Amino acid sequence: MHVLVSGGAGYIGSHTVLALIRAGHSVVVVDDFSNSKAAVVGRLEALAGQQIPVQAFDLTDRDKTDRLFDTEHVDAVIHFAGFKAVGESVAKPLTYYTNNLDTTFSLLRAMERHGTPKLVFSSSATVYGPRSVLPYREDGEEPIEAVNPYGRSKVMLEHVLTDVAAAAPALKVALLRYFNPVGAHPSGMIGEDPGGIPNNLVPYIAQVAVGRREKLSVFGGDYDTPDGTCLRDYIHVEDLAEGHVAALEYLTTATEPARAFNLGTGHGTSVLEMVHAFERAAGRPIPYEIVDRRPGDLPVSYADVSRAAAELGWRATRSVDDMCVDAWRWQSQNPEGYPDA
Ligand code: UDP
């Protein structure tokens, strides 16, 4: 398939571009580089051993989006592009809603006009709210909900895509609910490169390990969990990337107009367990301090992964230690992330 990868220069997008090429698909990347660096493209081309076509524009521009579909025969879209920082979404809700919804509307209109039959959408485990029952199931009793504008944009888009697919007999949609993606490509050439102070746990630990930050703040040590810190379902980004390829192939024979899939491992790992796994990987101590809880954090989050196993034929295979070894290779080879030029 020829796959349009929106946000293909970003963290999950870049790993998925390589997984698609490995599986024999071709890609065109659309990215406005608002949260990614141009240097990723050369790295991807070196790893793929081929040129990767990239169109640098903002997908909220409907005319440009439509023109791209006029010039390329797109069999499927994988839509990663979107803003994703929870804290920033609380401060700038309108920016988040506008960008995350408008990019999707723009793609949907172009897909409708050109009869593009498949869409894989980046959703998030954040659609499981405080009332959802563990392990989180795609068909749980509780309706999906979220507690911040970022998460609500994902909930809204799941509804939008479900309604649009229901009304378009030719369109099939996979809604992929990512748990906590970490790690990097085993080459260490591509990985996660957050701008500013990392919001997420593993990029923060990696920056402490490489000497860019003094110590980790562990948000809360008094949760009702085995070691008092929160549990999350961390998934290796390479497993996640392969999950997208599986979802794309599933859409060829999908019967439901839109279907949600959890992409996780099904296991919870605590913040301190992750710190210790990273210490093993890096061979050095990670200084940390237990501080107050972070508002909005759920104590425990992990997936029921049976639907993805049964219907996508996909399961995560990489361990937490694999995730830390690969994250450390990327961070130690690229202490400051991608170069600017
Ligand atoms: N966390 C932490 N210190 C940090 C960043 C995160 O203790 O600097 C904790 C956070 O409270 C949560 C876990 O690590 O329990 C995962 O946080 P992250 O933001 O990576 O993912 P999410 O909360 O979205 O699942």
Side-chain angles (χ1 to χ4, degrees):
M1 289 180 232
H2 189 51
V3 187
L4 189 165
V5 185
S6 86
Y11 172 46
I12 305 170
S14 58
H15 289 80
T16 301
V17 163
L18 291 180
L20 288 165
I21 291 171
R22 283 201 299 274
H25 302 293
S26 62
V27 300
V28 54
V29 168
V30 179
D31 204 300
D32 68 355
F33 295 94
S34 60
N35 192 28
S36 53
K37 298 265 183 72
V40 72
V41 178
R43 305 267 182 108
L44 285 175
E45 290 181 335
L47 289 167
Q50 59 181 256
Q51 275 217 314
I52 294 176
V54 177
Q55 302 254 350
F57 69 89
D58 179 344
L59 282 160
T60 60
D61 186 328
R62 290 190 183 175
D63 293 334
K64 283 190 181 155
T65 306
D66 212 41
R67 275 205 295 280
L68 174 61
F69 280 75
D70 285 336
T71 54
E72 304 250 352
H73 179 83
V74 175
D75 297 304
V77 173
I78 304 185
H79 180 31
F80 292 103
F83 293 157
K84 62 169 190 177
V86 171
E88 190 183 44
S89 81
V90 175
K92 301 180 185 171
L94 189 56
T95 305
Y96 268 65
Y97 286 125
T98 305
N99 182 70
N100 290 2
L101 296 172
D102 279 352
T103 52
T104 311
F105 295 154
S106 181
L107 279 169
L108 282 171
R109 279 177 186 279
M111 291 175 71
E112 183 178 63
R113 209 166 279 155
H114 294 82
T116 312
K118 299 183 180 74
L119 174 64
V120 176
F121 176 67
S122 297
S123 187
S124 166
T126 191
V127 304
Y128 297 111
R131 287 180 297 172
S132 299
V133 178
L134 287 160
Y136 296 143
R137 289 175 58 89
E138 297 89 340
D139 58 358
E141 298 271 294
E142 296 299 332
I144 57 172
E145 61 173 352
V147 295
N148 55 65
Y150 159 73
R152 277 194 277 271
S153 76
K154 295 295 179 187
V155 171
M156 288 175 189
L157 285 166
E158 285 209 12
H159 290 307
V160 166
L161 292 167
T162 303
D163 289 343
V164 169
L171 177 63
K172 297 286 185 286
V173 177
L175 307 164
L176 302 186
R177 296 177 180 166
Y178 309 152
F179 280 69
N180 289 64
V182 299
H185 188 270
S187 65
M189 286 174 63
I190 60 168
E192 186 168 14
D193 182 15
I197 301 170
N199 296 307
N200 296 113
L201 178 65
V202 172
Y204 203 105
I205 294 175
Q207 291 194 6
V208 172
V210 84
R212 281 174 65 180
R213 307 202 180 267
E214 193 193 335
K215 64 179 173 200
L216 172 73
S217 295
V218 174
F219 299 139
D222 57 352
Y223 285 99
D224 185 15
T225 57
D227 67 15
T229 66
C230 294
L231 304 185
R232 292 288 180 275
D233 186 340
Y234 297 95
I235 174 170
H236 197 299
V237 67
E238 287 281 283
D239 279 324
L240 192 61
E242 290 165 6
H244 288 74
V245 179
L248 199 61
E249 288 162 4
Y250 148 87
L251 288 177
T252 304
T253 55
T255 50
E256 294 241 1
R259 194 139 173 91
F261 295 97
N262 289 337
L263 298 187
T265 64
H267 301 289
T269 300
S270 77
V271 175
L272 292 181
E273 285 171 331
M274 194 50 108
V275 168
H276 297 317
F278 210 99
E279 289 179 328
R280 287 193 293 278
R284 57 183 73 179
I286 308 292
Y288 70 86
E289 177 187 15
I290 297 187
V291 301
D292 287 347
R293 294 180 176 195
R294 182 172 67 177
D297 271 344
L298 295 176
V300 181
S301 162
Y302 59 95
D304 180 320
V305 295
S306 50
R307 182 185 284 185
E311 298 181 25
L312 305 182
W314 169 92
R315 250 180 207 289
T317 61
R318 295 162 178 89
S319 68
V320 162
D321 284 299
D322 297 331
M323 299 173 206
C324 291
V325 165
D326 290 331
W328 176 239
R329 190 181 296 107
W330 153 254
Q331 190 71 59
S332 54
Q333 289 179 15
N334 304 271
E336 302 294 329
Y338 292 109
D340 275 324

